[in-house]
Short mmCIF file of all heavy atoms in Angstrom, two decimals:
data_model
loop_
_atom_site.label_atom_id
_atom_site.label_comp_id
_atom_site.label_asym_id
_atom_site.label_seq_id
_atom_site.Cartn_x
_atom_site.Cartn_y
_atom_site.Cartn_z
N GLN A 1 -11.32 9.97 16.25
CA GLN A 1 -10.14 10.31 17.01
C GLN A 1 -9.03 10.73 16.06
O GLN A 1 -8.38 9.90 15.45
CB GLN A 1 -9.70 9.12 17.85
CG GLN A 1 -10.66 8.69 18.91
CD GLN A 1 -10.73 9.70 20.07
OE1 GLN A 1 -10.07 10.73 20.04
NE2 GLN A 1 -11.53 9.42 21.04
N PRO A 2 -8.80 12.03 15.96
CA PRO A 2 -7.75 12.52 15.06
C PRO A 2 -6.37 11.98 15.39
O PRO A 2 -5.57 11.73 14.50
CB PRO A 2 -7.78 14.03 15.23
CG PRO A 2 -9.10 14.33 15.85
CD PRO A 2 -9.53 13.12 16.59
N LEU A 3 -6.09 11.77 16.67
CA LEU A 3 -4.76 11.28 17.05
C LEU A 3 -4.50 9.89 16.47
O LEU A 3 -3.41 9.62 15.97
CB LEU A 3 -4.63 11.25 18.58
CG LEU A 3 -3.27 10.83 19.12
CD1 LEU A 3 -2.18 11.77 18.60
CD2 LEU A 3 -3.27 10.83 20.63
N LEU A 4 -5.50 9.02 16.53
CA LEU A 4 -5.35 7.69 15.95
C LEU A 4 -5.16 7.77 14.44
O LEU A 4 -4.35 7.05 13.87
CB LEU A 4 -6.55 6.81 16.28
CG LEU A 4 -6.65 6.32 17.71
CD1 LEU A 4 -7.96 5.57 17.92
CD2 LEU A 4 -5.49 5.44 18.06
N TYR A 5 -5.94 8.65 13.81
CA TYR A 5 -5.82 8.81 12.36
C TYR A 5 -4.39 9.23 12.00
O TYR A 5 -3.76 8.65 11.13
CB TYR A 5 -6.82 9.83 11.85
CG TYR A 5 -6.57 10.22 10.42
CD1 TYR A 5 -6.92 9.37 9.37
CD2 TYR A 5 -5.96 11.43 10.10
CE1 TYR A 5 -6.67 9.72 8.06
CE2 TYR A 5 -5.71 11.78 8.79
CZ TYR A 5 -6.07 10.93 7.77
OH TYR A 5 -5.81 11.28 6.47
N PHE A 6 -3.88 10.24 12.69
CA PHE A 6 -2.55 10.74 12.37
C PHE A 6 -1.46 9.74 12.73
O PHE A 6 -0.42 9.70 12.08
CB PHE A 6 -2.29 12.10 13.05
CG PHE A 6 -3.06 13.21 12.41
CD1 PHE A 6 -4.06 13.86 13.11
CD2 PHE A 6 -2.81 13.58 11.11
CE1 PHE A 6 -4.79 14.88 12.51
CE2 PHE A 6 -3.53 14.60 10.49
CZ PHE A 6 -4.53 15.25 11.21
N SER A 7 -1.70 8.91 13.72
CA SER A 7 -0.69 7.90 14.06
C SER A 7 -0.67 6.77 13.02
O SER A 7 0.31 6.04 12.92
CB SER A 7 -0.94 7.34 15.46
OG SER A 7 -2.15 6.63 15.49
N SER A 8 -1.73 6.64 12.23
CA SER A 8 -1.76 5.60 11.20
C SER A 8 -1.10 6.07 9.90
O SER A 8 -0.77 5.24 9.05
CB SER A 8 -3.20 5.17 10.92
OG SER A 8 -3.91 6.19 10.24
N LEU A 9 -0.90 7.36 9.75
CA LEU A 9 -0.34 7.87 8.50
C LEU A 9 1.05 7.31 8.18
O LEU A 9 1.30 6.94 7.03
CB LEU A 9 -0.32 9.40 8.51
CG LEU A 9 -1.68 10.07 8.40
CD1 LEU A 9 -1.54 11.59 8.44
CD2 LEU A 9 -2.40 9.65 7.14
N PRO A 10 1.98 7.23 9.15
CA PRO A 10 3.30 6.66 8.81
C PRO A 10 3.21 5.23 8.28
O PRO A 10 3.97 4.86 7.38
CB PRO A 10 4.06 6.71 10.13
CG PRO A 10 3.42 7.80 10.91
CD PRO A 10 1.97 7.75 10.52
N ALA A 11 2.28 4.45 8.79
CA ALA A 11 2.12 3.08 8.30
C ALA A 11 1.64 3.08 6.85
O ALA A 11 2.14 2.32 6.01
CB ALA A 11 1.15 2.31 9.18
N LYS A 12 0.69 3.94 6.55
CA LYS A 12 0.19 4.03 5.18
C LYS A 12 1.28 4.53 4.23
O LYS A 12 1.42 4.02 3.11
CB LYS A 12 -1.01 4.98 5.11
CG LYS A 12 -2.26 4.42 5.77
CD LYS A 12 -3.39 5.41 5.63
CE LYS A 12 -4.64 4.93 6.29
NZ LYS A 12 -5.76 5.84 6.10
N VAL A 13 2.05 5.51 4.68
CA VAL A 13 3.14 6.02 3.85
C VAL A 13 4.16 4.93 3.59
O VAL A 13 4.65 4.78 2.46
CB VAL A 13 3.80 7.25 4.52
CG1 VAL A 13 5.09 7.64 3.82
CG2 VAL A 13 2.84 8.44 4.54
N ALA A 14 4.47 4.13 4.60
CA ALA A 14 5.43 3.04 4.43
C ALA A 14 4.94 2.02 3.41
O ALA A 14 5.70 1.57 2.55
CB ALA A 14 5.70 2.37 5.77
N VAL A 15 3.67 1.66 3.49
CA VAL A 15 3.10 0.70 2.54
C VAL A 15 3.18 1.26 1.12
O VAL A 15 3.58 0.56 0.18
CB VAL A 15 1.63 0.36 2.91
CG1 VAL A 15 0.93 -0.40 1.80
CG2 VAL A 15 1.59 -0.43 4.20
N ARG A 16 2.84 2.53 0.96
CA ARG A 16 2.86 3.14 -0.37
C ARG A 16 4.29 3.29 -0.90
O ARG A 16 4.53 3.18 -2.10
CB ARG A 16 2.13 4.48 -0.34
CG ARG A 16 0.64 4.29 -0.14
CD ARG A 16 -0.11 5.59 -0.11
NE ARG A 16 -1.52 5.36 0.08
CZ ARG A 16 -2.26 5.98 0.97
NH1 ARG A 16 -1.73 6.88 1.76
NH2 ARG A 16 -3.55 5.71 1.08
N GLN A 17 5.22 3.54 0.00
CA GLN A 17 6.62 3.65 -0.42
C GLN A 17 7.14 2.30 -0.91
O GLN A 17 7.86 2.24 -1.91
CB GLN A 17 7.47 4.16 0.74
CG GLN A 17 8.90 4.44 0.33
CD GLN A 17 9.68 5.11 1.45
OE1 GLN A 17 9.14 5.43 2.50
NE2 GLN A 17 10.95 5.32 1.21
N ILE A 18 6.77 1.24 -0.23
CA ILE A 18 7.15 -0.10 -0.68
C ILE A 18 6.56 -0.37 -2.06
O ILE A 18 7.24 -0.90 -2.95
CB ILE A 18 6.71 -1.17 0.34
CG1 ILE A 18 7.51 -1.01 1.63
CG2 ILE A 18 6.84 -2.57 -0.23
CD1 ILE A 18 6.96 -1.80 2.80
N ARG A 19 5.30 0.03 -2.25
CA ARG A 19 4.67 -0.14 -3.58
C ARG A 19 5.45 0.63 -4.63
O ARG A 19 5.77 0.09 -5.70
CB ARG A 19 3.22 0.34 -3.55
CG ARG A 19 2.57 0.29 -4.95
CD ARG A 19 1.30 1.08 -5.05
NE ARG A 19 1.56 2.48 -4.78
CZ ARG A 19 0.64 3.37 -4.48
NH1 ARG A 19 -0.62 3.01 -4.39
NH2 ARG A 19 0.95 4.62 -4.26
N ARG A 20 5.78 1.87 -4.35
CA ARG A 20 6.50 2.71 -5.31
C ARG A 20 7.86 2.10 -5.66
O ARG A 20 8.23 2.00 -6.83
CB ARG A 20 6.68 4.13 -4.77
CG ARG A 20 7.29 5.08 -5.81
CD ARG A 20 7.54 6.47 -5.25
NE ARG A 20 8.60 6.40 -4.26
CZ ARG A 20 8.50 6.79 -2.99
NH1 ARG A 20 7.38 7.32 -2.56
NH2 ARG A 20 9.50 6.69 -2.16
N ASP A 21 8.59 1.65 -4.65
CA ASP A 21 9.90 1.04 -4.88
C ASP A 21 9.77 -0.23 -5.72
O ASP A 21 10.58 -0.48 -6.62
CB ASP A 21 10.59 0.72 -3.56
CG ASP A 21 10.99 1.96 -2.77
OD1 ASP A 21 10.98 3.07 -3.35
OD2 ASP A 21 11.29 1.82 -1.57
N SER A 22 8.75 -1.01 -5.43
CA SER A 22 8.54 -2.25 -6.16
C SER A 22 8.17 -1.99 -7.62
O SER A 22 8.64 -2.68 -8.53
CB SER A 22 7.46 -3.10 -5.49
OG SER A 22 7.85 -3.45 -4.19
N ILE A 23 7.34 -0.98 -7.84
CA ILE A 23 6.96 -0.63 -9.21
C ILE A 23 8.18 -0.13 -9.98
O ILE A 23 8.35 -0.46 -11.16
CB ILE A 23 5.81 0.41 -9.21
CG1 ILE A 23 4.50 -0.29 -8.81
CG2 ILE A 23 5.67 1.06 -10.59
CD1 ILE A 23 3.31 0.62 -8.69
N GLU A 24 9.05 0.61 -9.33
CA GLU A 24 10.28 1.07 -9.99
C GLU A 24 11.13 -0.12 -10.41
O GLU A 24 11.72 -0.13 -11.49
CB GLU A 24 11.06 2.00 -9.08
CG GLU A 24 10.45 3.37 -8.93
CD GLU A 24 11.18 4.26 -7.93
OE1 GLU A 24 12.27 3.88 -7.46
OE2 GLU A 24 10.66 5.34 -7.63
N LYS A 25 11.21 -1.14 -9.55
CA LYS A 25 12.00 -2.34 -9.89
C LYS A 25 11.37 -3.07 -11.07
O LYS A 25 12.08 -3.56 -11.95
CB LYS A 25 12.10 -3.26 -8.67
CG LYS A 25 13.01 -2.72 -7.60
CD LYS A 25 13.08 -3.63 -6.40
CE LYS A 25 13.93 -3.00 -5.30
NZ LYS A 25 13.96 -3.82 -4.09
N ILE A 26 10.05 -3.17 -11.08
CA ILE A 26 9.36 -3.83 -12.18
C ILE A 26 9.62 -3.07 -13.49
O ILE A 26 9.89 -3.67 -14.52
CB ILE A 26 7.85 -3.96 -11.90
CG1 ILE A 26 7.61 -4.99 -10.79
CG2 ILE A 26 7.08 -4.34 -13.16
CD1 ILE A 26 6.18 -5.06 -10.31
N LYS A 27 9.54 -1.74 -13.43
CA LYS A 27 9.78 -0.94 -14.63
C LYS A 27 11.22 -1.10 -15.11
O LYS A 27 11.47 -1.15 -16.32
CB LYS A 27 9.46 0.53 -14.37
CG LYS A 27 7.97 0.80 -14.27
CD LYS A 27 7.68 2.26 -14.04
CE LYS A 27 6.18 2.49 -13.98
NZ LYS A 27 5.84 3.91 -13.77
N ALA A 28 12.16 -1.19 -14.18
CA ALA A 28 13.57 -1.39 -14.56
C ALA A 28 13.74 -2.75 -15.23
O ALA A 28 14.49 -2.88 -16.21
CB ALA A 28 14.46 -1.27 -13.34
N MET A 29 13.05 -3.76 -14.71
CA MET A 29 13.12 -5.09 -15.31
C MET A 29 12.56 -5.06 -16.74
O MET A 29 13.12 -5.67 -17.65
CB MET A 29 12.36 -6.11 -14.46
CG MET A 29 13.03 -6.41 -13.13
SD MET A 29 12.03 -7.48 -12.07
CE MET A 29 12.17 -9.03 -12.94
N LYS A 30 11.47 -4.32 -16.93
CA LYS A 30 10.88 -4.20 -18.27
C LYS A 30 11.85 -3.47 -19.19
O LYS A 30 12.08 -3.88 -20.34
CB LYS A 30 9.55 -3.45 -18.18
CG LYS A 30 8.98 -2.97 -19.50
CD LYS A 30 8.62 -4.11 -20.44
CE LYS A 30 7.94 -3.60 -21.68
NZ LYS A 30 8.81 -3.51 -22.83
N LYS A 31 12.45 -2.40 -18.69
CA LYS A 31 13.39 -1.61 -19.50
C LYS A 31 14.59 -2.45 -19.92
O LYS A 31 15.10 -2.30 -21.03
CB LYS A 31 13.85 -0.39 -18.70
CG LYS A 31 14.72 0.57 -19.48
CD LYS A 31 15.07 1.78 -18.66
CE LYS A 31 15.96 2.71 -19.47
NZ LYS A 31 16.35 3.88 -18.68
N ASN A 32 15.04 -3.34 -19.04
CA ASN A 32 16.18 -4.21 -19.33
C ASN A 32 15.76 -5.48 -20.08
O ASN A 32 16.56 -6.40 -20.22
CB ASN A 32 16.89 -4.59 -18.03
CG ASN A 32 17.52 -3.40 -17.36
OD1 ASN A 32 17.88 -2.42 -18.00
ND2 ASN A 32 17.64 -3.47 -16.04
N SER A 33 14.53 -5.52 -20.51
CA SER A 33 13.97 -6.66 -21.26
C SER A 33 14.02 -7.97 -20.47
O SER A 33 14.14 -9.05 -21.05
CB SER A 33 14.70 -6.83 -22.60
OG SER A 33 14.56 -5.66 -23.38
N GLU A 34 13.93 -7.86 -19.15
CA GLU A 34 13.91 -9.06 -18.31
C GLU A 34 12.51 -9.66 -18.22
O GLU A 34 12.34 -10.85 -17.96
CB GLU A 34 14.42 -8.74 -16.91
CG GLU A 34 15.88 -8.32 -16.88
CD GLU A 34 16.33 -7.88 -15.50
OE1 GLU A 34 15.82 -8.41 -14.50
OE2 GLU A 34 17.19 -6.99 -15.44
N ILE A 35 11.49 -8.80 -18.41
CA ILE A 35 10.10 -9.26 -18.37
C ILE A 35 9.34 -8.58 -19.51
O ILE A 35 9.68 -7.47 -19.92
CB ILE A 35 9.41 -8.95 -17.02
CG1 ILE A 35 9.39 -7.45 -16.72
CG2 ILE A 35 10.05 -9.73 -15.89
CD1 ILE A 35 8.55 -7.05 -15.53
N PRO A 36 8.29 -9.24 -20.01
CA PRO A 36 7.47 -8.61 -21.05
C PRO A 36 6.52 -7.56 -20.45
O PRO A 36 6.31 -7.51 -19.24
CB PRO A 36 6.68 -9.78 -21.65
CG PRO A 36 6.70 -10.84 -20.61
CD PRO A 36 7.93 -10.63 -19.79
N GLU A 37 5.96 -6.74 -21.32
CA GLU A 37 5.08 -5.66 -20.88
C GLU A 37 3.85 -6.18 -20.13
O GLU A 37 3.40 -5.56 -19.17
CB GLU A 37 4.65 -4.82 -22.09
CG GLU A 37 3.90 -3.56 -21.71
CD GLU A 37 3.65 -2.64 -22.88
OE1 GLU A 37 4.30 -2.80 -23.93
OE2 GLU A 37 2.79 -1.76 -22.74
N ASP A 38 3.32 -7.32 -20.58
CA ASP A 38 2.15 -7.90 -19.90
C ASP A 38 2.47 -8.22 -18.45
O ASP A 38 1.65 -7.97 -17.55
CB ASP A 38 1.67 -9.17 -20.61
CG ASP A 38 1.01 -8.87 -21.95
OD1 ASP A 38 0.67 -7.69 -22.21
OD2 ASP A 38 0.84 -9.82 -22.74
N ASP A 39 3.65 -8.78 -18.20
CA ASP A 39 4.05 -9.09 -16.83
C ASP A 39 4.23 -7.83 -16.01
O ASP A 39 3.93 -7.81 -14.81
CB ASP A 39 5.34 -9.92 -16.82
CG ASP A 39 5.12 -11.35 -17.29
OD1 ASP A 39 3.94 -11.75 -17.46
OD2 ASP A 39 6.12 -12.06 -17.50
N GLN A 40 4.72 -6.79 -16.64
CA GLN A 40 4.88 -5.50 -15.95
C GLN A 40 3.52 -5.00 -15.48
O GLN A 40 3.35 -4.64 -14.31
CB GLN A 40 5.53 -4.46 -16.85
CG GLN A 40 5.61 -3.08 -16.21
CD GLN A 40 5.98 -1.97 -17.18
OE1 GLN A 40 6.25 -2.21 -18.35
NE2 GLN A 40 5.99 -0.75 -16.69
N LYS A 41 2.57 -4.99 -16.38
CA LYS A 41 1.24 -4.48 -16.03
C LYS A 41 0.58 -5.36 -14.96
O LYS A 41 -0.02 -4.85 -14.03
CB LYS A 41 0.37 -4.40 -17.27
CG LYS A 41 0.90 -3.43 -18.31
CD LYS A 41 -0.20 -2.59 -18.87
CE LYS A 41 0.31 -1.64 -19.93
NZ LYS A 41 1.00 -0.51 -19.41
N ASP A 42 0.72 -6.69 -15.11
CA ASP A 42 0.16 -7.61 -14.12
C ASP A 42 0.79 -7.38 -12.75
O ASP A 42 0.10 -7.36 -11.73
CB ASP A 42 0.35 -9.07 -14.54
CG ASP A 42 -0.51 -9.46 -15.72
OD1 ASP A 42 -1.47 -8.74 -16.03
OD2 ASP A 42 -0.20 -10.51 -16.34
N GLY A 43 2.11 -7.20 -12.73
CA GLY A 43 2.81 -6.96 -11.48
C GLY A 43 2.37 -5.68 -10.81
O GLY A 43 2.15 -5.63 -9.60
N GLU A 44 2.22 -4.63 -11.61
CA GLU A 44 1.76 -3.35 -11.06
C GLU A 44 0.34 -3.46 -10.51
O GLU A 44 0.04 -2.90 -9.45
CB GLU A 44 1.86 -2.26 -12.12
CG GLU A 44 3.28 -1.88 -12.47
CD GLU A 44 3.40 -0.87 -13.59
OE1 GLU A 44 2.36 -0.36 -14.06
OE2 GLU A 44 4.54 -0.58 -14.00
N GLU A 45 -0.51 -4.19 -11.22
CA GLU A 45 -1.89 -4.37 -10.74
C GLU A 45 -1.91 -5.16 -9.44
O GLU A 45 -2.66 -4.82 -8.51
CB GLU A 45 -2.73 -5.07 -11.81
CG GLU A 45 -3.06 -4.19 -13.00
CD GLU A 45 -3.78 -4.94 -14.10
OE1 GLU A 45 -4.19 -6.10 -13.90
OE2 GLU A 45 -3.94 -4.35 -15.19
N GLN A 46 -1.10 -6.20 -9.36
CA GLN A 46 -1.04 -7.01 -8.13
C GLN A 46 -0.52 -6.17 -6.97
O GLN A 46 -1.05 -6.26 -5.85
CB GLN A 46 -0.16 -8.23 -8.34
CG GLN A 46 -0.77 -9.28 -9.21
CD GLN A 46 0.17 -10.45 -9.45
OE1 GLN A 46 1.29 -10.49 -8.97
NE2 GLN A 46 -0.30 -11.43 -10.22
N LEU A 47 0.50 -5.37 -7.22
CA LEU A 47 1.03 -4.50 -6.17
C LEU A 47 -0.03 -3.52 -5.68
O LEU A 47 -0.13 -3.25 -4.48
CB LEU A 47 2.26 -3.73 -6.67
CG LEU A 47 3.55 -4.52 -6.72
CD1 LEU A 47 4.61 -3.75 -7.48
CD2 LEU A 47 4.03 -4.82 -5.31
N GLN A 48 -0.82 -2.98 -6.60
CA GLN A 48 -1.87 -2.05 -6.20
C GLN A 48 -2.92 -2.74 -5.34
O GLN A 48 -3.37 -2.19 -4.33
CB GLN A 48 -2.52 -1.40 -7.43
CG GLN A 48 -3.51 -0.31 -7.06
CD GLN A 48 -2.87 0.81 -6.27
OE1 GLN A 48 -1.84 1.34 -6.65
NE2 GLN A 48 -3.47 1.18 -5.15
N LYS A 49 -3.28 -3.97 -5.71
CA LYS A 49 -4.27 -4.72 -4.92
C LYS A 49 -3.73 -5.00 -3.51
O LYS A 49 -4.46 -4.86 -2.52
CB LYS A 49 -4.64 -6.03 -5.62
CG LYS A 49 -5.50 -5.85 -6.84
CD LYS A 49 -5.79 -7.17 -7.50
CE LYS A 49 -6.58 -6.99 -8.78
NZ LYS A 49 -6.83 -8.27 -9.46
N ILE A 50 -2.47 -5.40 -3.43
CA ILE A 50 -1.86 -5.67 -2.12
C ILE A 50 -1.80 -4.40 -1.29
O ILE A 50 -2.11 -4.40 -0.10
CB ILE A 50 -0.46 -6.29 -2.31
CG1 ILE A 50 -0.57 -7.69 -2.92
CG2 ILE A 50 0.29 -6.33 -0.99
CD1 ILE A 50 0.74 -8.26 -3.42
N THR A 51 -1.43 -3.29 -1.94
CA THR A 51 -1.36 -2.01 -1.25
C THR A 51 -2.74 -1.63 -0.70
O THR A 51 -2.87 -1.24 0.46
CB THR A 51 -0.85 -0.90 -2.19
OG1 THR A 51 0.46 -1.26 -2.65
CG2 THR A 51 -0.80 0.45 -1.51
N ASP A 52 -3.75 -1.74 -1.54
CA ASP A 52 -5.12 -1.42 -1.11
C ASP A 52 -5.54 -2.29 0.07
O ASP A 52 -6.17 -1.81 1.01
CB ASP A 52 -6.10 -1.59 -2.27
CG ASP A 52 -5.89 -0.57 -3.38
OD1 ASP A 52 -5.20 0.45 -3.15
OD2 ASP A 52 -6.41 -0.81 -4.49
N GLU A 53 -5.17 -3.58 0.01
CA GLU A 53 -5.53 -4.51 1.08
C GLU A 53 -4.90 -4.07 2.41
O GLU A 53 -5.58 -4.06 3.45
CB GLU A 53 -5.04 -5.91 0.70
CG GLU A 53 -5.26 -6.96 1.75
CD GLU A 53 -4.65 -8.30 1.36
OE1 GLU A 53 -4.53 -8.58 0.15
OE2 GLU A 53 -4.28 -9.05 2.27
N TYR A 54 -3.63 -3.71 2.39
CA TYR A 54 -2.97 -3.34 3.63
C TYR A 54 -3.40 -1.97 4.15
O TYR A 54 -3.51 -1.78 5.36
CB TYR A 54 -1.44 -3.44 3.49
CG TYR A 54 -0.99 -4.87 3.66
CD1 TYR A 54 -0.86 -5.71 2.57
CD2 TYR A 54 -0.75 -5.38 4.93
CE1 TYR A 54 -0.49 -7.03 2.73
CE2 TYR A 54 -0.37 -6.71 5.10
CZ TYR A 54 -0.24 -7.52 4.01
OH TYR A 54 0.12 -8.83 4.18
N VAL A 55 -3.69 -1.05 3.25
CA VAL A 55 -4.22 0.24 3.69
C VAL A 55 -5.59 0.04 4.34
O VAL A 55 -5.90 0.65 5.37
CB VAL A 55 -4.29 1.25 2.51
CG1 VAL A 55 -5.11 2.47 2.88
CG2 VAL A 55 -2.88 1.65 2.09
N LYS A 56 -6.39 -0.87 3.77
CA LYS A 56 -7.69 -1.18 4.35
C LYS A 56 -7.53 -1.80 5.75
O LYS A 56 -8.26 -1.45 6.68
CB LYS A 56 -8.45 -2.14 3.44
CG LYS A 56 -9.84 -2.48 3.93
CD LYS A 56 -10.55 -3.41 2.97
CE LYS A 56 -11.91 -3.80 3.51
NZ LYS A 56 -12.57 -4.80 2.66
N LYS A 57 -6.53 -2.69 5.91
CA LYS A 57 -6.28 -3.29 7.22
C LYS A 57 -5.88 -2.23 8.24
O LYS A 57 -6.30 -2.29 9.41
CB LYS A 57 -5.19 -4.36 7.12
CG LYS A 57 -5.65 -5.62 6.45
CD LYS A 57 -4.55 -6.66 6.40
CE LYS A 57 -5.03 -7.93 5.72
NZ LYS A 57 -4.03 -8.99 5.77
N ILE A 58 -5.08 -1.28 7.82
CA ILE A 58 -4.68 -0.18 8.72
C ILE A 58 -5.92 0.61 9.12
O ILE A 58 -6.11 0.92 10.30
CB ILE A 58 -3.63 0.72 8.04
CG1 ILE A 58 -2.32 -0.06 7.86
CG2 ILE A 58 -3.40 2.00 8.86
CD1 ILE A 58 -1.32 0.62 6.93
N ASP A 59 -6.76 0.94 8.15
CA ASP A 59 -7.98 1.70 8.45
C ASP A 59 -8.89 0.93 9.39
O ASP A 59 -9.51 1.51 10.30
CB ASP A 59 -8.73 2.04 7.16
CG ASP A 59 -8.02 3.10 6.33
OD1 ASP A 59 -7.19 3.85 6.89
OD2 ASP A 59 -8.30 3.17 5.12
N GLU A 60 -8.99 -0.39 9.19
CA GLU A 60 -9.83 -1.21 10.06
C GLU A 60 -9.27 -1.24 11.48
O GLU A 60 -10.04 -1.21 12.45
CB GLU A 60 -9.94 -2.63 9.50
CG GLU A 60 -10.79 -2.73 8.25
CD GLU A 60 -10.71 -4.08 7.57
OE1 GLU A 60 -9.87 -4.93 7.97
OE2 GLU A 60 -11.47 -4.30 6.61
N ALA A 61 -7.96 -1.30 11.61
CA ALA A 61 -7.35 -1.30 12.94
C ALA A 61 -7.62 0.02 13.65
O ALA A 61 -7.92 0.04 14.85
CB ALA A 61 -5.85 -1.56 12.83
N VAL A 62 -7.53 1.12 12.92
CA VAL A 62 -7.82 2.43 13.51
C VAL A 62 -9.29 2.51 13.92
O VAL A 62 -9.61 2.99 15.01
CB VAL A 62 -7.46 3.57 12.52
CG1 VAL A 62 -8.01 4.90 12.99
CG2 VAL A 62 -5.95 3.64 12.32
N ALA A 63 -10.18 2.02 13.06
CA ALA A 63 -11.61 2.05 13.39
C ALA A 63 -11.91 1.20 14.62
O ALA A 63 -12.68 1.61 15.50
CB ALA A 63 -12.43 1.56 12.20
N ALA A 64 -11.27 0.03 14.72
CA ALA A 64 -11.49 -0.84 15.87
C ALA A 64 -10.98 -0.19 17.14
O ALA A 64 -11.64 -0.22 18.19
CB ALA A 64 -10.81 -2.18 15.65
N LYS A 65 -9.82 0.42 17.08
CA LYS A 65 -9.24 1.07 18.25
C LYS A 65 -10.09 2.28 18.65
O LYS A 65 -10.30 2.53 19.84
CB LYS A 65 -7.79 1.49 17.97
CG LYS A 65 -7.04 1.85 19.20
CD LYS A 65 -6.91 0.62 20.10
CE LYS A 65 -5.98 0.87 21.25
NZ LYS A 65 -5.94 -0.22 22.19
N THR A 66 -10.58 3.02 17.67
CA THR A 66 -11.43 4.17 17.96
C THR A 66 -12.71 3.71 18.66
O THR A 66 -13.14 4.31 19.64
CB THR A 66 -11.79 4.92 16.65
OG1 THR A 66 -10.57 5.38 16.04
CG2 THR A 66 -12.70 6.10 16.92
N ALA A 67 -13.31 2.62 18.18
CA ALA A 67 -14.51 2.08 18.81
C ALA A 67 -14.22 1.63 20.23
O ALA A 67 -15.02 1.86 21.14
CB ALA A 67 -15.06 0.92 17.98
N GLU A 68 -13.06 1.02 20.42
CA GLU A 68 -12.66 0.56 21.75
C GLU A 68 -12.51 1.75 22.71
O GLU A 68 -12.98 1.69 23.85
CB GLU A 68 -11.33 -0.20 21.66
CG GLU A 68 -10.83 -0.74 22.97
CD GLU A 68 -9.50 -1.44 22.80
OE1 GLU A 68 -9.25 -2.05 21.75
OE2 GLU A 68 -8.69 -1.36 23.75
N ILE A 69 -11.91 2.80 22.23
CA ILE A 69 -11.72 4.00 23.07
C ILE A 69 -13.06 4.66 23.40
O ILE A 69 -13.27 5.13 24.51
CB ILE A 69 -10.77 4.99 22.38
CG1 ILE A 69 -9.35 4.40 22.37
CG2 ILE A 69 -10.80 6.36 23.05
CD1 ILE A 69 -8.36 5.22 21.55
N MET A 70 -13.96 4.67 22.42
CA MET A 70 -15.25 5.33 22.63
C MET A 70 -16.09 4.58 23.68
O MET A 70 -16.98 5.17 24.28
CB MET A 70 -16.01 5.43 21.32
CG MET A 70 -15.30 6.31 20.30
SD MET A 70 -14.94 7.93 20.94
CE MET A 70 -16.22 8.85 20.17
N GLU A 71 -15.83 3.28 23.89
CA GLU A 71 -16.57 2.52 24.89
C GLU A 71 -16.21 2.94 26.29
O GLU A 71 -16.99 2.80 27.21
CB GLU A 71 -16.29 1.03 24.71
CG GLU A 71 -16.90 0.42 23.49
CD GLU A 71 -16.54 -1.05 23.32
OE1 GLU A 71 -15.91 -1.63 24.22
OE2 GLU A 71 -16.91 -1.62 22.28
N ILE A 72 -15.00 3.42 26.46
CA ILE A 72 -14.51 3.76 27.80
C ILE A 72 -15.11 5.03 28.32
O ILE A 72 -15.58 5.89 27.82
CB ILE A 72 -12.97 3.87 27.80
CG1 ILE A 72 -12.38 2.54 27.39
CG2 ILE A 72 -12.47 4.34 29.14
CD1 ILE A 72 -10.89 2.54 27.25
#
């Protein structure tokens, strides 16, 4: 269902935008010597994992709704 796919795009964009904003804050903290480089990399990796998790949840919700619609 293309309509469901396209309706999920704003949610994915929002999740990725939050990730981007958070990574910018982490980089600013590193630049200001508030955190070491290891913490910066760990933070970025954790943010990526969280982002992947939520994008997967969005995809699963779309797949479930598509399956529900196909039953009708």
Side-chain angles (χ1 to χ4, degrees):
Q1 296 289 2
L3 183 59
L4 287 175
Y5 169 76
F6 287 114
S7 66
S8 71
L9 289 179
K12 290 181 181 183
V13 169
V15 168
R16 291 180 180 131
Q17 186 172 356
I18 292 167
R19 175 195 61 196
R20 186 183 67 237
D21 293 345
S22 298
I23 287 176
E24 287 175 8
K25 288 179 184 177
I26 289 172
K27 287 181 179 181
M29 290 174 71
K30 167 64 175 101
K31 185 177 179 181
N32 295 333
S33 300
E34 295 174 32
I35 59 171
E37 188 172 343
D38 289 345
D39 288 351
Q40 175 192 357
K41 298 224 181 283
D42 289 344
E44 290 176 5
E45 288 175 8
Q46 288 177 0
L47 282 169
Q48 186 59 50
K49 287 178 184 178
I50 293 167
T51 300
D52 293 344
E53 177 185 332
Y54 279 92
V55 167
K56 183 179 176 185
K57 286 181 180 185
I58 293 167
D59 289 339
E60 289 171 352
V62 168
K65 195 63 171 174
T66 299
E68 181 181 326
I69 290 172
M70 296 306 258
E71 289 177 6
I72 300 175

